[in-house]
Amino acid sequence: MPTARADKQRDLLDGALRVFARDGYSRASIDAIAEAAGVSTRTIYNHYGDKAGLFKAVILDSATRVADHEIALADRLLAHIVDLQTDLVAFGLAWSAHDPATADHFALVRQIQADSAHIDGEILGAWQEAGPVRVRGAVAAHLKAHAAAGLLHINDENIAALQLIQLTAGSVMAAPGARPERIIRAGVDTFLAAYQPSTSYS
Amino acid sequence: MPTARADKQRDLLDGALRVFARDGYSRASIDAIAEAAGVSTRTIYNHYGDKAGLFKAVILDSATRVADHEIALADRLLAHIVDLQTDLVAFGLAWSAHDPATADHFALVRQIQADSAHIDGEILGAWQEAGPVRVRGAVAAHLKAHAAAGLLHINDENIAALQLIQLTAGSVMAAPGARPERIIRAGVDTFLAAYQPSTSYS
DNA sequence: CATTAATTGCAATGAGCGTTGTACTTCGGC
DNA sequence: GCCGAAGTACAACGCTCATTGCAATTAATG
């Protein structure tokens, strides 16, 4: 039995991601997606039934892949700490340096958040679990380990992870125009002021 | 010369905001907006020329009104500090407690961010200036005043304002499902650990 | 090479929607 | 009560687009 020819499936998900990310669900046309992916429109319907089915598949696929990428990043940069400030800044910079590959994903995330009133709740939940929650958990695990080693004073590692992300990548996204490095350094300083034992005791 | 009948204009902007916020520019139909606003479709074209013109008007109107509201909030809650922690938590809670009136606005903001590739750059700039930048400036001014009074140790009040907002309202939005009060208290604690003189010296 | 599943091209259908023209109605100020 | 501006109702045009059916074609596997 012939398996999927070449990697039409991969091409389709990639092209659909690009178009959905730029245009949103409503504006994105099946024709535009088919052309961007180098696939016939009929193939889309054969595989995913309708536009909504394709959208769902794109969301889950992209969220899973990017989360894997980010977790790998955290494992690489946060596993062995030499200097907390230096390493956290490096992590924040890598996180914020959306290579073009992940740029489409984050544009899709904005589309999802804007369109959430029209997206099935189960899909939203599955996306949160496959993406943001999983990543936050991975960062939280690293922070907890360093807390156990005495590098940090942490009550709730999940909140600490959330705050670290908000102070770095979150702040960079909220203030377009400002230089990311400046924002991230300031964010790490604030984070360490709150959580580094030698500086603060909460 | 007969002035605008009753307040069709106000009704139109309000109804259009509601529909644009829920459905986004592309999904929102002129018919739906007309019905939501209690106005005929023809009136819309008479006033704003086309859909894009109406959208632009809605963005600027809503951004200006909500920014005014938030600046008033900051003036009321941040002008006279009794206890820093208590007052900042109250401010964060009020900020995050999107009354239904401002809820539509923030949904519209998400639509704008998602659709920014299709919105005229000048409109985006005008919106940033009329809304977020102005509000951040107001918060920064309050923080600077309290720094001058010795309540806070701040290098760059604009970054401090950005961080305060990210640690409270920003974190609440990033982690739906968690209880806002818990997130905000933790955010204020982190902020104060970094900026309160008795705790940290940066 | 033969088989078989995957893929494609194409035409057609039907719905939704932005936009306009026109004639009609309603209101507020004089 | 009159007038002009503001608002309305309605029909029509043209375009985009999701979706489907069908016949033809391709390519991997045996």
Side-chain angles (χ1 to χ4, degrees):
Chain A
M1 62 198 83
T3 62
R5 205 175 305 187
D7 243 358
K8 289 286 178 187
Q9 314 261 355
R10 189 67 266 146
D11 292 346
L12 176 49
L13 288 173
D14 289 344
L17 169 62
R18 206 170 5 168
V19 177
F20 277 135
R22 173 162 40 81
D23 295 346
Y25 180 82
S26 183
R27 229 189 198 101
S29 77
I30 294 286
D31 282 354
I33 292 171
E35 189 187 344
V39 159
S40 85
T41 65
R42 208 60 184 75
T43 302
I44 296 178
Y45 287 102
N46 288 340
H47 272 294
Y48 299 102
D50 58 8
K51 196 179 169 182
L54 173 63
F55 192 56
K56 174 182 174 179
V58 169
I59 289 177
L60 294 183
D61 174 71
S62 183
T64 304
R65 301 175 119 239
V66 171
D68 287 347
H69 173 264
E70 291 180 336
I71 290 172
L73 201 73
D75 289 345
R76 183 148 39 84
L77 295 178
L78 294 185
H80 305 294
I81 297 294
V82 177
D83 175 66
L84 253 182
Q85 173 166 340
T86 306
D87 293 343
L88 288 182
V89 167
F91 176 63
L93 281 174
W95 188 283
S96 297
H98 291 158
D99 36 317
T102 61
D104 281 339
H105 170 76
F106 288 104
L108 181 69
V109 168
R110 288 191 287 275
Q111 300 289 355
I112 293 171
Q113 290 169 339
D115 229 27
S116 60
H118 300 280
I119 302 177
D120 187 84
E122 291 181 26
I123 299 179
L124 287 177
W127 161 64
Q128 281 279 336
E129 288 304 320
V133 172
R134 226 172 101 228
V135 173
R136 230 150 40 215
V139 172
H142 284 291
L143 293 181
K144 188 178 185 180
H146 297 314
L151 278 174
L152 295 168
H153 260 274
I154 292 179
N155 282 328
D156 182 327
E157 70 269 15
N158 289 302
I159 284 192
L162 172 64
Q163 292 185 342
L164 176 60
I165 294 170
Q166 284 295 312
L167 282 170
T168 53
S171 294
V172 169
M173 284 206 275
R179 262 177 315 136
E181 190 172 328
R182 183 168 157 69
I183 304 255
I184 287 172
R185 286 190 189 283
V188 168
D189 285 345
T190 295
F191 179 81
L192 289 180
Y195 289 111
Q196 210 169 20
S198 54
T199 305
S200 155
Y201 310 84
S202 71
Chain B
M1 63 198 80
T3 63
R5 205 176 306 189
D7 242 358
K8 289 287 177 186
Q9 315 259 356
R10 189 67 267 144
D11 292 347
L12 176 49
L13 288 173
D14 290 343
L17 169 62
R18 205 168 3 161
V19 177
F20 276 135
R22 173 162 41 82
D23 296 346
Y25 180 81
S26 183
R27 227 201 266 278
S29 77
I30 295 285
D31 281 357
I33 292 171
E35 190 187 343
V39 158
S40 85
T41 65
R42 208 62 182 74
T43 301
I44 297 178
Y45 287 102
N46 287 340
H47 272 296
Y48 299 101
D50 57 9
K51 196 180 171 182
L54 174 63
F55 191 56
K56 174 181 173 180
V58 169
I59 289 178
L60 294 184
D61 174 71
S62 183
T64 304
R65 300 174 121 240
V66 171
D68 288 346
H69 173 265
E70 290 181 336
I71 291 173
L73 200 73
D75 289 345
R76 183 149 39 84
L77 295 178
L78 295 184
H80 305 293
I81 296 295
V82 177
D83 175 65
L84 253 182
Q85 172 166 340
T86 306
D87 293 343
L88 287 182
V89 167
F91 176 63
L93 281 173
W95 188 284
S96 298
H98 293 155
D99 35 317
T102 61
D104 282 338
H105 170 76
F106 288 103
L108 180 69
V109 168
R110 287 191 287 275
Q111 301 289 355
I112 294 171
Q113 289 169 339
D115 228 27
S116 59
H118 301 279
I119 302 177
D120 186 86
E122 290 181 26
I123 298 179
L124 287 177
W127 161 64
Q128 280 279 338
E129 288 303 322
V133 171
R134 227 172 100 228
V135 174
R136 247 178 350 243
V139 172
H142 284 291
L143 294 180
K144 189 178 184 181
H146 297 315
L151 278 175
L152 295 167
H153 259 274
I154 292 178
N155 282 331
D156 183 326
E157 71 270 14
N158 290 301
I159 284 192
L162 172 63
Q163 292 185 340
L164 177 60
I165 294 171
Q166 284 294 313
L167 283 170
T168 52
S171 294
V172 169
M173 285 206 275
R179 262 177 316 135
E181 189 172 330
R182 184 168 155 68
I183 304 255
I184 287 173
R185 286 189 189 284
V188 168
D189 285 345
T190 295
F191 179 81
L192 288 181
Y195 289 111
Q196 210 168 22
S198 55
T199 306
S200 154
Y201 310 85
S202 71

